[in-house]
């Protein structure tokens, strides 16, 4: 295919600024989908994505558009996930594009989430086409938002398209702008094959399927291909495009986007960012930017009802088929019984996995506080990776504990600088860089211990900056740290599932806050409950939940008996949502109390 | 293990069977009040006039219909209870007509306990004589408090003087079996005010007292006011202190606590209410009334049915329409499975001071209590329940935590 007829682009937008609606309009206008067949917001096809209004996995769709110049163009709309946990995936999707449409709500203006992706797009040298959406709203103020885009992002927005995706206004203009403003892809058909994998998923009939953007060369059915990072060879069994339904094609050449099936058995072998080349005539080098994605955050997932363990095992196995960034291994807890220690990219990823397990598999789960993987050197010289606080060896056997440190890049309006600097310092951050980008914008670079970030950093960043700060992070290195295990004891017994690894200097505060929070979360029971935070045998905080003194319905006569029985049954049901540790009923949310400690 | 406290001093009557085979209780609901109290979640409707004659016709029609049904047929009513609402608003002749109908219709024990609920502001000695000659032999007065400010807080229409006059008038009219209701833990009530109420209640020398901790029932004005922060519930410690004070004082005065909220001179317990707690069949007639028939689990159908409960249409007009059309105003029926019936039997029995009789349990369900509910041993070791003789009773601490104990039987 003539690359001059191809345009590859993505849409960047804040969570409810109309990305999905705009995508729907583009699909409709180009006839990819008949309006009446359309399920609203077609691109986000998982229920969960639709509900949360976020895109978890990237998808793409191929559109045909006859422009005003009379030529029919192939437009590949490449969707991107929209959260800090997935910034690597976003960067690979953007690497498959030459341009991006920046959708900004003409009433609300630029918001933080947009910024992180705009910066990624600018880093990837994409041509950015600004669109002011929702101009039909009475509160729309295009002039103000234009100026904002110029000031905050430094992008000329004087000719931004005025659109209302909801009402179909401006769709034609946007399509024309894509054709005229976004450059066609480069690449040579004669060169050795280089195709970038920017998404993959598991299909029960085809195995792991990869979504690729061809940079150089041509790929056809029946050819032997090699996935360069994993070094495995496969035979292509199908070459197709998503238009949006899967349609087989003879080949994919430079600039084209499509899916390859090659009987890849494991999703772990279809890595995002990897390069597909030919086994016979491989490219000299893979495409730049590949990173092996590893889980950064770990938490125990346990069935609330211990009888659901086998069901949970089946569920995590199935989930893993489709999610290479998720990991799991069996774990057991004295308090919670049998479960799994699971690894996630970040907190949102963890929440999504938990919700999918509960919703799609009908499980009722208890999640323990998220932690990171520590590198522990024993006095014997042996080095262990510790992903669970309960596995931390006794202090006398440990010579060194190292914790993962991330490089966090934060963009923020300068008015919030003070608050955010304080937050980073509170979180044991080390400043690497501070730079003014124009009058009101600041970029901060901090080295931050990941264990501080997984607790509540992102939420606090948003609250300190009223949502205007954006965060992007990557793993940097392990660094030695003075870390201790903080235990929570309930009526004297350590509840293993509540243990945490914290910095020694923070331990006292954290222990006190946590014990106080537990006191709020554990309902009064028929006896007094003592909650203690301790380091080793040293108690650093103590709270009590007083015994319930009175719980009796005064009246119970003829008509009340059924109603009363239902109330008593409800009390019993409420207890089922709790976990009995020793004699104490602990509500599920208490196991995540560490995330809810107000600072 | 024996309870060291003498709180449950009423001697257990080992000879009394749990369900006397031939008797039943009759509840008659009179749904109208002059005004609705802010704590009340009963099926009562504020009104100035009501279709008394038609309502009485419908009551008798429903009674004939229901008393012929499985579980009730052939039984003799040993208690009748006119509840409301405010039954004392009805003309004594109407009450008389209903009782005649009961006696003519199924069967009424000549020695039946026949109770009428009355509000102190609605009675005169003359009206009371009318109720007495109509056949009513027990009055239950909704006194609630002897403090003017607390009556106001409760939204009651009557005065303290009304209560005193009504108690005296009842005696003059020939009622010697009197009960009065008290409410405690009223917002703003002090322990001293509670004590004053109990003392005055005792001074009237009634056979029976019911003393209820105020409950904030969903759907009531008080429930909404509390949610809005305009009414503050009594602190738990105060409520506990009142509960213990009320129980102690009444017992010392010879009014034995025989149930969580009920006190009586020995032999003058409310037999009608005991029927509810002991699984005796009862027929409820009138708007929103409830009925119950215990079954033996041998009936047909898939799941063995160990009892049936019915609820009538709540709205008086619609209930009357239903009775005219089909002979009964049943809105809802519920079948009790074996496990539900077993649990219910246990917690209802534990509400009474005489407690639970494992022998009666075995006779009814064909299973040992200890096997059906093995956790009872831990209730005992936790000090919530105790064996007194061969019966399981709640301890003083268990009494205060009764609902938590009861929920373990589900």
């Amino acid at each position: 295919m003539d690359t001059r007829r191809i345009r590859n682009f993505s849409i960047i937008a804040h969570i409810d600024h109309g990305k999905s609606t705009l995508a729907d309009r583009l699909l409709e206008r180009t006839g990819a989908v008949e309006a009446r067949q359309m399920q609203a917001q077609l691109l986000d096809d998982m229920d969960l994505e639709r509900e949360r209004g976020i895109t978890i996995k990237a998808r793409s769709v191929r559109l045909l558009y006859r422009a005003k110049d009379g030529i029919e163009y192939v437009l590949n709309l490449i969707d991107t996930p929209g959260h800090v946990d997935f910034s690597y995936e976003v960067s690979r999707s953007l690497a498959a594009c030459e341009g991006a449409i920046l959708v900004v709500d003409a009433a609300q203006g630029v918001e933080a989430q947009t910024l992180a992706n705009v910066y990624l797009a600018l880093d990837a040298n994409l041509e950015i086409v600004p669109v002011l959406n929702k101009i039909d709203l009475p509160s729309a103020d295009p002039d103000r938002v234009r100026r904002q885009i110029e000031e905050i992002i430094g992008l000329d927005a004087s000719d931004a398209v005025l659109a209302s995706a909801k009402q179909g206004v401006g769709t034609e203009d946007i399509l024309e702008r894509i054709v005229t403003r976004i450059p066609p892809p480069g690449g040579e058909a004669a060169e050795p094959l280089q195709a970038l994998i920017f998404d993959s998923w598991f299909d029960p009939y085809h195995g792991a399927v990869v979504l690729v953007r061809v940079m150089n060369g041509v790929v056809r059915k029946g050819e032997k291909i090699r996935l360069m990072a994993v070094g495995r060879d496969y035979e292509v069994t199908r070459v197709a495009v998503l238009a949006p339904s899967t349609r087989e094609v003879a080949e994919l050449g430079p600039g084209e986007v499509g899916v390859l099936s090659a009987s890849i058995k494991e999703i772990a072998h279809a890595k995002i960012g990897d390069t597909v080349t030919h086994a016979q005539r491989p490219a000299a080098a893979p495409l730049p930017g590949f990173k092996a994605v590893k889980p950064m955050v770990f938490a125990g997932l346990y069935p609330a009802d211990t009888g659901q363990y086998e069901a949970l095992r089946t569920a995590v196995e199935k989930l893993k088929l489709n999610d290479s960034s998720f990991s799991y291994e069996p774990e057991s807890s004295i308090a919670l019984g049998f479960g799994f220690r699971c690894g996630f990219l970040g907190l949102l990823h963890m929440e999504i996995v938990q919700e999918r397990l509960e919703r799609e598999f009908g499980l009722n789960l208890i999640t323990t506080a998220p932690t990171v993987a520590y590198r522990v050197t024993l006095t014997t010289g042996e080095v262990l990776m510790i992903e669970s606080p309960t596995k931390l060896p006794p202090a006398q056997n440990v010579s060194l504990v190292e914790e993962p440190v991330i490089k966090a890049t934060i963009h923020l309006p300068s008015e919030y600088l003070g608050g955010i600097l304080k937050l980073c310092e509170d979180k044991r951050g080390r400043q690497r860089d501070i730079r003014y980008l124009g009058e009101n914008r600041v970029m901060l670079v901090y080295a931050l211990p990941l264990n501080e970030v997984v607790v509540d950093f992102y939420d606090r960043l948003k609250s300190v900056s009223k949502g205007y700060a954006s965060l992007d992070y990557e793993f940097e290195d392990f660094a030695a740290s003075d870390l201790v295990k903080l235990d929570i004891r309930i009526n004297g017994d350590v509840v293993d599932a509540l243990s945490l690894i914290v910095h020694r200097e923070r331990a006292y505060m954290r222990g006190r806050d946590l014990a106080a929070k537990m006191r709020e979360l554990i309902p009064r029971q028929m006896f007094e409950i003592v909650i203690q935070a301790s380091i080793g045998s040293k108690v650093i905080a103590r709270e009590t939940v007083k015994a319930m003194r009175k719980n009796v319905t005064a009246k119970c006569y003829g008509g009340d008996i059924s109603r009363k029985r239902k109330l008593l049954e409800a009390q019993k049901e409420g207890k089922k949502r709790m976990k009995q540790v020793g004699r104490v009923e602990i509500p599920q949310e208490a196991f995540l109390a560490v995330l809810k400690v107000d600072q | 293990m024996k309870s060291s406290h003498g709180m449950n001093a009423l001697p257990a009557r080992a000879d009394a069977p749990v369900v006397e085979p031939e008797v039943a209780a009759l509840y008659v609901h009179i749904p109208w009040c002059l005004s609705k109290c802010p704590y009340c979640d009963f099926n009562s409707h504020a009104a100035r006039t009501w279709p008394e004659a038609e309502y009485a016709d419908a009551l008798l029609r429903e009674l004939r219909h229901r008393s012929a049904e499985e579980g009730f047929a052939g039984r003799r009513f040993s208690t009748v209870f006119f509840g409301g609402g405010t039954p004392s608003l009805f003309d004594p002749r109407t009450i008389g007509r209903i009782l005649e109908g009961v006696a003519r219709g199924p069967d009424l024990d000549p020695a039946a306990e026949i109770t009428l609920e009355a509000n102190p502001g609605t009675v005169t000695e003359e009206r009371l004589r009318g109720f007495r000659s109509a056949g009513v032999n027990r009055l239950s007065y909704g006194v609630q408090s002897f403090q003017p400010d607390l009556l106001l807080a409760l939204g009651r229409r009557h005065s303290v003087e009304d209560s005193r006059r009504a108690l005296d008038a009842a005696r003059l009219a020939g009622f010697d079996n009197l009960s009065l209701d008290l409410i405690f833990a009223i917002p703003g009530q002090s322990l001293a005010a509670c004590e004053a109420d109990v003392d005055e209640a005792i001074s009237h020398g009634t056979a029976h007292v019911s003393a209820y901790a105020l409950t904030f029932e969903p759907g009531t004005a008080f429930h909404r006011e509390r949610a809005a922060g305009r009414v503050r519930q009594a602190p738990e410690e105060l409520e506990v202190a009142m509960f213990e004070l009320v129980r102690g004082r009444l017992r010392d005065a010879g009014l034995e606590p025989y149930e969580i909220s009920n006190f009586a001179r020995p032999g003058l317990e409310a037999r009608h209410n005991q029927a509810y707690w002991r699984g005796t069949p009862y027929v409820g007639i009138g708007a929103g009334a409830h009925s119950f028939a215990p079954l033996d689990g041998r009936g047909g159908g898939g799941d063995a049915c160990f009892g049936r409960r019915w609820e009538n249409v709540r709205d008086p007009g619609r209930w009357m329409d239903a009775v005219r059309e089909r002979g009964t105003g049943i809105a809802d029926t519920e079948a009790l499975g074996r496990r539900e019936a077993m649990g219910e039997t246990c917690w209802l029995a534990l509400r009474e001071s005489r407690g639970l009789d494992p022998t009666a349990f075995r006779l009814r369900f064909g299973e040992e209590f200890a096997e059906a509910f093995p956790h009872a041993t831990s209730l005992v070791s936790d000090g919530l329940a105790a064996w007194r003789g061969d019966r399981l009773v709640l301890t003083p601490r268990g009494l205060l935590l009764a609902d938590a104990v009861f929920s373990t039987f589900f």
Side-chain angles (χ1 to χ4, degrees):
Chain A
M1 186 184 294
D2 184 349
T3 57
R4 284 173 302 178
R5 284 182 46 225
I6 302 175
R7 297 292 183 274
N8 297 318
F9 70 101
S10 67
I11 304 176
I12 295 170
H14 183 67
I15 192 156
D16 52 0
H17 284 191
K19 173 164 122 176
S20 300
T21 321
L22 177 60
D24 290 349
R25 287 295 98 79
L26 296 178
L27 263 67
E28 263 174 22
R29 173 62 188 74
T30 56
V33 180
E34 292 289 324
R36 64 187 148 76
Q37 298 178 340
M38 257 186 60
Q39 204 183 353
Q41 303 188 358
L42 199 114
L43 280 182
D44 292 345
D45 59 1
M46 282 202 284
D47 278 352
L48 198 59
E49 291 185 6
R50 203 181 307 261
E51 228 163 79
R52 298 175 75 124
I54 51 172
T55 305
I56 298 162
K57 297 286 285 180
R59 292 282 186 275
S60 83
V61 60
R62 174 180 165 130
L63 313 170
L64 292 176
Y65 172 63
R66 188 168 298 281
K68 287 187 177 145
D69 61 11
I71 299 169
E72 189 177 64
Y73 290 87
V74 171
L75 311 182
N76 290 306
L77 164 54
I78 292 166
D79 203 14
T80 55
H83 186 272
V84 58
D85 287 354
F86 303 101
S87 63
Y88 171 71
E89 284 79 354
V90 175
S91 79
R92 293 307 85 203
S93 290
L94 294 177
C97 303
E98 277 75 40
I101 300 175
L102 168 64
V103 181
V104 180
D105 185 315
Q108 292 183 33
V110 177
E111 303 226 23
Q113 201 194 5
T114 326
L115 287 174
N117 287 350
V118 171
Y119 291 121
L120 284 173
L122 289 170
D123 283 350
N125 286 319
L126 300 194
E127 179 67 30
I128 294 179
V129 177
V131 171
L132 302 185
N133 193 24
K134 305 196 185 180
I135 53 150
D136 55 308
L137 293 181
S139 55
D141 186 353
D143 288 337
R144 180 180 62 84
V145 175
R146 255 193 212 108
R147 279 198 307 278
Q148 210 190 14
I149 293 174
E150 281 162 20
E151 279 164 21
I152 297 180
I153 307 174
L155 200 68
D156 179 10
S158 54
D159 66 342
V161 181
L162 298 181
S164 163
K166 202 169 125 207
Q167 303 189 341
V169 175
T171 313
E172 189 83 28
D173 284 352
I174 295 168
L175 287 163
E176 281 298 316
R177 219 54 81 85
I178 290 167
V179 168
T180 57
R181 288 275 294 277
I182 295 175
E188 285 298 330
E191 291 284 308
L193 177 66
Q194 278 181 311
L196 171 71
I197 300 178
F198 64 91
D199 195 9
S200 65
W201 60 88
F202 195 83
D203 180 299
Y205 301 104
H206 297 101
V209 174
V210 293
L211 184 56
V212 298
R213 150 74 197 271
V214 179
M215 297 297 182
N216 284 301
V218 179
V219 61
R220 297 180 185 85
K221 184 172 169 174
E223 289 177 342
K224 272 256 191 293
I225 53 164
R226 175 169 301 160
L227 304 184
M228 295 181 81
V230 290
R232 285 172 181 261
D233 293 355
Y234 300 93
E235 187 183 311
V236 177
T237 57
R238 188 181 64 155
V239 179
V241 292
L242 304 171
S245 50
T246 311
R247 184 160 58 78
E248 271 201 60
V249 292
E251 59 176 46
L252 290 174
E256 288 194 276
V257 171
V259 288
L260 301 179
S261 308
S263 305
I264 305 169
K265 291 205 174 51
E266 282 183 49
I267 194 81
H269 296 152
K271 291 188 192 298
I272 291 173
D274 197 358
T275 303
V276 181
T277 191
H278 280 127
Q280 314 299 339
R281 187 183 161 233
L287 295 163
F290 173 75
K291 272 194 273 183
V293 176
K294 272 195 225 141
M296 302 278 274
V297 173
F298 298 84
L301 292 186
Y302 291 84
D305 169 2
T306 50
Q308 283 192 330
Y309 176 74
E310 282 306 320
L312 176 59
R313 175 199 292 283
T314 310
V316 290
E317 279 168 2
K318 279 196 181 150
L319 207 64
K320 173 75 188 163
L321 281 181
N322 239 325
D323 189 347
S324 59
S325 47
F326 166 69
S327 70
Y328 68 93
E329 59 179 64
E331 160 179 276
S332 70
S333 149
I334 300 162
L336 300 176
F338 292 99
F340 295 93
R341 174 103 326 213
C342 300
F344 311 93
L345 292 175
L347 286 185
L348 181 81
H349 187 215
M350 174 174 124
E351 266 177 54
I352 289 165
V353 166
Q354 189 188 356
E355 269 193 56
R356 287 188 62 182
L357 289 171
E358 295 203 328
R359 187 175 309 191
E360 293 170 26
F361 299 92
L363 298 166
N364 183 4
L365 296 178
I366 292 176
T367 311
T368 64
T371 178
V372 301
Y374 297 92
R375 192 159 72 189
V376 175
T377 308
L378 301 179
T379 46
T380 59
E382 195 188 343
V383 177
L384 304 172
M385 291 303 288
I386 299 296
E387 291 162 5
S388 164
T390 53
K391 299 233 173 86
L392 188 69
Q396 67 269 23
N397 300 346
V398 172
S399 69
L400 179 68
V401 182
E402 294 167 294
E403 63 178 335
V405 172
I406 57 162
K407 180 181 145 197
T409 306
I410 303 164
H411 286 91
L412 60 139
S414 49
E415 56 191 297
Y416 304 116
L417 184 60
I420 289 175
L421 286 175
K422 180 170 183 307
L423 172 63
C424 292
E425 298 298 323
D426 282 353
K427 294 291 188 183
R428 298 193 282 129
R430 291 223 185 86
Q431 200 182 91
R432 290 279 172 74
D433 197 2
I434 174 165
R435 209 182 302 165
Y436 278 82
L437 315 165
E439 239 173 88
N440 304 319
R441 299 294 301 174
V442 182
M443 184 184 82
L444 279 178
V445 181
Y446 261 86
L448 280 163
L450 184 60
N451 98 340
E452 297 282 347
V453 175
V454 298
V455 176
D456 60 352
F457 184 80
Y458 195 58
D459 289 342
R460 287 184 60 197
L461 182 73
K462 280 192 288 187
S463 90
V464 168
S465 68
K466 300 199 168 68
Y468 280 102
S470 75
L471 168 71
D472 182 22
Y473 70 75
E474 56 186 328
F475 171 73
E476 200 172 71
D477 204 355
F478 279 94
S481 187
D482 188 6
L483 297 163
V484 294
K485 182 164 153 251
L486 176 67
D487 291 320
I488 296 293
R489 295 164 185 266
I490 306 263
N491 283 353
D493 298 327
V494 170
V495 180
D496 57 358
L498 290 169
S499 295
L500 294 175
I501 293 175
V502 293
H503 195 266
R504 189 180 298 278
E505 281 173 19
R506 312 272 143 163
Y508 177 75
M509 280 270 280
R510 185 62 72 71
R512 208 181 51 184
D513 291 349
L514 196 53
K517 192 73 198 173
M518 297 294 291
R519 191 196 60 190
E520 279 173 41
L521 292 172
I522 297 178
R524 292 198 305 160
Q525 288 163 41
M526 287 191 269
F527 40 84
E528 186 176 83
I529 300 161
V530 176
I531 301 159
Q532 292 164 307
S534 66
I535 298 169
S537 58
K538 189 181 166 214
V539 172
I540 57 170
R542 183 183 201 277
E543 298 277 353
T544 49
V545 177
K546 286 221 172 86
M548 178 167 54
R549 291 278 280 127
K550 189 168 189 289
N551 177 15
V552 49
T553 307
K555 280 194 187 193
C556 186
Y557 300 117
D560 292 331
I561 292 169
S562 301
R563 197 171 55 113
K564 181 79 162 55
R565 194 186 59 239
K566 280 167 197 151
L567 288 175
L568 292 170
E569 278 165 0
Q571 258 189 45
K572 182 81 174 183
E573 275 305 302
K575 279 194 175 177
K576 279 194 196 150
R577 294 285 303 179
M578 298 208 252
K579 198 80 197 173
Q580 184 150 356
V581 176
R583 303 193 53 211
V584 182
E585 311 268 356
I586 301 181
Q588 293 179 28
E589 61 266 29
F591 292 96
L592 280 171
V594 64
L595 292 183
K596 302 192 176 98
V597 171
D598 297 321
Q599 303 279 331
Chain B
M1 205 173 297
K2 302 236 174 200
S3 163
S4 58
H5 298 267
M7 265 173 97
N8 301 306
L10 189 70
R13 283 188 279 175
D15 54 332
V18 170
V19 181
E20 295 169 48
E22 74 282 13
V23 302
L26 176 64
Y27 177 80
V28 184
H29 192 74
I30 308 295
W32 292 286
C33 281
L34 293 176
S35 61
K36 179 94 181 168
C37 299
Y39 56 87
C40 172
D41 76 329
F42 280 30
N43 183 30
S44 66
H45 304 263
R48 292 279 133 183
T49 59
W50 42 85
E52 199 167 302
E54 292 98 305
Y55 192 80
D57 289 342
L59 285 172
L60 291 172
R61 176 130 192 238
E62 183 169 53
L63 175 66
R64 280 196 299 278
H65 189 100
R66 295 307 312 280
S67 54
E69 287 178 12
E70 183 197 4
F72 303 124
R75 287 179 184 268
R76 155 184 280 206
F77 290 116
S78 59
T79 65
V80 180
F81 193 100
F82 290 90
T86 310
S88 56
L89 291 174
F90 266 34
D91 190 308
R93 283 167 300 187
T94 311
I95 299 296
R97 184 154 75 83
I98 296 165
L99 287 172
E100 278 163 31
V102 178
R104 247 201 336 271
D107 198 0
L108 182 62
D109 186 337
E113 171 197 277
I114 300 174
T115 308
L116 180 95
E117 276 186 340
N119 273 4
T122 62
V123 292
T124 58
E125 191 189 321
E126 189 200 341
R127 285 174 61 76
L128 288 169
R129 283 187 196 283
F131 289 128
R132 185 74 191 85
S133 57
V136 176
N137 53 28
R138 186 173 179 272
L139 281 183
S140 171
Y141 274 131
V143 168
Q144 322 307 7
S145 174
F146 291 101
Q147 319 300 317
D149 56 324
L150 296 178
L151 286 178
L152 201 67
L154 289 171
R156 299 295 297 187
R157 297 174 62 86
H158 69 271
S159 66
V160 176
E161 269 315 303
D162 286 339
S163 295
R164 292 173 183 150
R165 264 199 306 270
L167 284 159
D168 292 341
R171 291 243 155 68
L172 293 171
F175 285 101
D176 48 9
N177 194 355
L178 285 180
S179 176
L180 63 83
D181 288 358
L182 288 181
I183 294 180
F184 64 90
I186 303 164
Q189 186 182 24
S190 65
L191 191 60
C194 175
E195 191 173 4
D197 272 350
V198 182
D199 287 347
E200 172 148 5
I202 290 167
S203 76
H204 289 284
T206 56
H208 189 279
V209 171
S210 300
Y212 307 104
L214 180 67
T215 309
F216 290 78
E217 299 286 357
T220 61
F222 264 17
H223 195 266
R224 287 189 295 276
E225 296 284 299
R226 184 181 63 176
R230 289 191 289 269
V231 162
R232 191 179 290 171
Q233 190 169 352
E236 186 182 59
E237 286 308 314
L238 181 60
E239 197 177 323
V240 168
M242 289 178 176
F243 185 88
E244 287 169 348
L245 172 98
V246 167
R247 246 178 135 73
R249 277 290 160 100
L250 290 173
R251 191 181 50 226
D252 291 347
L255 287 150
E256 286 295 336
Y258 70 98
E259 194 258 359
I260 286 171
S261 305
N262 286 283
F263 307 82
R265 302 193 190 280
L268 293 172
E269 297 83 9
R271 280 153 51 201
H272 184 81
N273 289 339
Q274 286 174 330
Y276 295 139
W277 306 318
R278 296 177 182 184
T280 308
Y282 54 88
V283 179
I285 55 173
H290 291 73
S291 308
F292 168 69
L295 298 171
D296 59 9
R298 285 196 287 269
D303 279 334
C305 180
F306 279 80
R308 203 160 277 150
R309 295 193 180 281
W310 294 267
E311 181 181 4
N312 278 356
V313 175
R314 288 173 68 88
D315 178 75
R318 289 183 41 218
W319 171 79
M320 284 189 281
D321 289 345
V323 173
R324 269 193 290 271
E325 279 165 31
R326 328 179 238 121
T328 171
I330 293 169
D332 208 8
T333 307
E334 182 188 31
L336 289 179
R338 177 185 167 80
R339 195 72 199 171
E340 280 171 313
M342 290 202 299
E344 196 177 274
T345 298
C346 293
W347 67 260
L348 284 171
L350 288 170
R351 285 193 69 94
E352 285 197 78
S353 302
R354 70 172 197 165
L356 180 126
D357 175 7
T359 309
F361 182 92
R362 192 190 62 228
L363 290 176
R364 169 131 165 72
F365 296 107
E367 185 176 345
E368 290 295 341
F369 168 71
E371 277 162 27
F373 297 107
H375 78 285
T377 30
S378 64
L379 292 176
V380 171
S381 59
D382 288 347
L384 295 164
W387 289 103
R388 193 152 47 74
D390 54 357
R391 284 174 174 265
L392 186 68
V393 299
L394 293 181
T395 60
R397 196 168 84 87
L399 208 59
L400 281 163
L401 297 171
D403 285 6
V405 173
F406 297 163
S407 73
T408 65
F409 287 91
F410 289 93

